[in-house]
Amino acid sequence: MASSSEFTLPPFYCPLPAARSPLTEAAGAHALEWMASYGFCDVPATRDRIHDAQVHRLLGLMVPRVENEEVFLTLTCFANLVLLAEDLLFDASPLTGGLSGIIEQAGRVMRVMESPGYRASAADDPYTLALVDVMSRMRAESSPARVGRLIHEMRRCFAGAIRGINAVQHLGKLTEDQYLSIRLDDVAGHLTVVIIEMCGAEPLADDTWQSPAVLACLESAGMVGALDNDLFSYRKESVHDLNLINVLQETRGLSLQQAVDETMVVRDRVMQLFLRLRDELLVSAPRPLRYLLVQLGQALRGHVEWGLTAPRHTGAHTVAASAGEAFAPATCWADSPSSTDTSPPDYPGISWWWDQIGRPHGAPAPSTRE
């Protein structure tokens, strides 16, 4: 496999302007003070992780129009914990007892999250204490249904991450479709959608969540975000060997640059689908769905802005980046997609998304039986 430095990252197609919540810096200061109160900033390495991640800036770019400020502040704290869990549990898996240790730790985290009356004690570690606090705040500020959906999607993230760790051991046998299935879960695409929805004033109805057209739109956005992450984080995280770039090199025998370019092609095909489904749904979308779809478009742009400029991915510890004002240069953006192919790709796990084009909201999916 070629060296991870021997490629050129193509520009990203996202025909939406960047925007940023005016609450961004206040949320960042609040989250940092909150993390420090649990001792996370006492350890230099952990403090650096928190600083370099710039989670508050990511959320500010992804949700520029916040309708529930208290929830946004709490979710910024929660998102910091999620990213910290990813770094400490999954990126440092040998230090946590390998796969069995990760499964045990993930199970403990989930039990705390799903227990409204979890009784924390002095014997609990700082992460557990912080998680109990943030979940208590979440339950006080949001509806039971919204909190339950957040918990469900966090469980999905852990399941996807565990599948991913297992898949790394069998990379040569992993199909592209299998990889995309894993990546949609472990990159927190579904969780991100729920976080954005929770920042809205009105909850999305259950029937709307389950509409095939809406689900296809939301999942396609999550996939775009997943592939964006594969691309902008490759130089830093290629050592983990679980990204579409490396999978394509295995399945198709591509060079590194060819695999990078093909990943962008797959990404742009899904991006075009998302934009089309989103536009169709916006025509008659009720207010909660409209809010989610509009913010979701901003989230895709903001995610790339963050990925191309945050020290977590660039390694550059600059004053501008820490102030949260840095945006990716214009050369990072493409005026048109790298592919004009609008047909469904040959991936059974996601090709059904394209079937939802032109289908009215809530219409049943067609039968696949003869």
Side-chain angles (χ1 to χ4, degrees):
M1 192 171 291
S3 167
S4 63
S5 63
E6 299 172 2
F7 73 93
T8 299
L9 187 64
F12 291 80
Y13 172 67
C14 186
L16 298 165
R20 181 171 173 268
S21 169
L23 298 172
T24 301
E25 294 309 315
H30 170 77
L32 186 61
E33 180 180 0
W34 180 79
M35 296 286 281
S37 72
Y38 285 97
F40 292 116
C41 297
D42 296 344
V43 180
T46 304
R47 184 176 62 245
D48 289 345
R49 285 176 184 268
I50 295 169
H51 170 269
D52 291 354
Q54 296 185 352
V55 171
H56 68 288
R57 182 166 165 264
L58 172 61
L59 287 189
L61 288 165
M62 295 178 74
V63 194
R65 187 165 68 88
V66 176
E67 294 183 340
N68 193 323
E69 295 186 9
E70 290 301 316
V71 168
F72 182 75
L73 293 177
T74 301
L75 286 170
T76 304
C77 296
F78 173 75
N80 270 282
L81 283 183
V82 171
L83 214 57
L84 204 56
E86 175 189 331
D87 288 346
L88 299 181
L89 286 182
F90 298 103
D91 288 356
S93 57
L95 303 178
T96 55
L99 186 58
S100 61
I102 288 173
I103 292 172
E104 171 59 26
Q105 291 288 341
R108 289 176 57 193
V109 168
M110 289 313 309
R111 188 55 193 156
V112 173
M113 286 188 66
E114 63 194 10
S115 302
Y118 187 91
R119 295 180 180 178
S121 71
D124 283 314
D125 59 84
Y127 194 95
T128 298
L129 297 174
L131 189 60
V132 170
D133 179 45
V134 81
M135 291 306 299
S136 177
R137 289 170 54 183
M138 205 101 68
R139 287 186 170 92
E141 298 162 357
S142 206
S143 70
R146 279 177 155 174
V147 174
R149 192 169 285 112
L150 183 83
I151 294 169
H152 171 77
E153 297 306 344
M154 189 67 197
R155 186 179 293 109
R156 191 202 296 255
C157 286
F158 278 140
I162 290 167
R163 286 182 66 199
I165 292 171
N166 181 64
V168 168
Q169 310 304 318
H170 311 283
L171 187 61
K173 299 179 181 179
L174 191 67
T175 69
E176 294 166 29
D177 184 62
Q178 287 173 327
Y179 169 74
L180 293 176
S181 170
I182 293 171
R183 193 61 170 140
L184 187 60
D185 287 346
D186 85 336
V187 80
H190 293 90
L191 182 66
T192 300
V193 170
V194 168
I195 286 174
I196 294 171
E197 190 270 345
M198 290 179 73
C199 292
E202 301 176 45
L204 202 64
D206 286 344
D207 285 351
T208 304
W209 280 109
Q210 298 304 318
S211 160
V214 172
L215 184 60
C217 185
L218 301 183
E219 288 196 343
S220 63
M223 184 60 73
V224 172
L227 297 179
D228 284 340
N229 191 277
D230 281 4
L231 288 159
F232 64 60
S233 69
Y234 187 78
R235 283 190 171 91
K236 172 180 177 287
E237 299 181 349
S238 61
V239 67
H240 298 304
D241 288 334
L242 191 66
N243 51 66
L244 187 57
I245 296 168
N246 285 348
V247 171
L248 287 170
Q249 290 182 83
E250 292 284 347
T251 58
R252 304 189 194 182
L254 302 180
S255 69
L256 175 58
Q257 186 63 58
Q258 289 172 330
V260 168
D261 292 341
E262 182 60 23
T263 296
M264 186 64 81
V265 166
V266 175
R267 179 260 188 205
D268 283 354
R269 290 175 68 182
V270 181
M271 173 60 117
Q272 292 176 84
L273 172 71
F274 163 73
L275 292 171
R276 185 169 177 183
L277 289 172
R278 175 176 174 264
D279 287 347
E280 289 184 355
L281 289 167
L282 281 171
V283 173
S284 59
R287 188 181 183 282
L289 179 59
R290 176 173 294 276
Y291 173 83
L292 177 57
L293 294 176
V294 170
Q295 298 302 293
L296 200 52
Q298 295 297 152
L300 293 181
R301 173 64 182 246
H303 181 234
V304 178
E305 292 280 3
W306 171 78
L308 294 176
T309 57
R312 174 182 175 86
H313 296 291
T314 66
H317 305 273
T318 64
V319 174
S322 64
E325 297 295 343
F327 284 93
T331 53
C332 293
W333 302 103
D335 294 329
S336 59
S338 58
S339 172
T340 57
D341 187 353
T342 58
S343 65
D346 189 22
Y347 300 138
I350 68 172
S351 60
W352 67 271
W353 294 344
W354 277 257
D355 297 337
Q356 308 310 313
I357 295 174
R359 182 161 291 122
H361 164 52
S367 173
T368 57
R369 295 181 180 179
E370 296 294 334

